[in-house]
Amino acid sequence: MSGPKKAGFGATMKAVFWSFFGVRKRKDYEHDAANLNPVYVIVGGLIGAAVFIGILLFVVRMAVAK
């Protein structure tokens, strides 16, 4: 018998986004803990951090340019 189905990369990115945002229901957290692929979580976290830093740099450059 196979174990629980692992979540795909899209579902992992959604979970990472909500983690960055800081809002997560306990039921959803428990579901994520059981179904997310740890490699996807690490890659998603790195992508999320890169996007966050890119947005911050863009905002700072726009503020300094004016």
Side-chain angles (χ1 to χ4, degrees), residues 49-66:
V51 169
F52 181 71
I53 291 170
I55 291 171
L56 285 178
L57 288 173
F58 175 75
V59 169
V60 167
R61 287 184 184 199
M62 293 301 290
V64 171
K66 292 187 178 196

Side-chain angles (χ1 to χ4, degrees), residues 4-13 15 31-32 34-38 40-41:
K5 184 178 177 189
K6 292 289 184 181
F9 189 71
T12 302
M13 288 303 294
H31 179 266
D32 291 344
N35 295 321
L36 292 181
N37 183 340
Y40 287 174
V41 172

Side-chain angles (χ1 to χ4, degrees), residues 1-24:
M1 292 193 177
S2 63
K5 184 178 177 189
K6 292 289 184 181
F9 189 71
T12 302
M13 288 303 294
K14 180 180 172 185
V16 169
F17 168 75
W18 284 113
S19 296
F20 270 93
F21 191 60
V23 178
R24 203 75 179 137

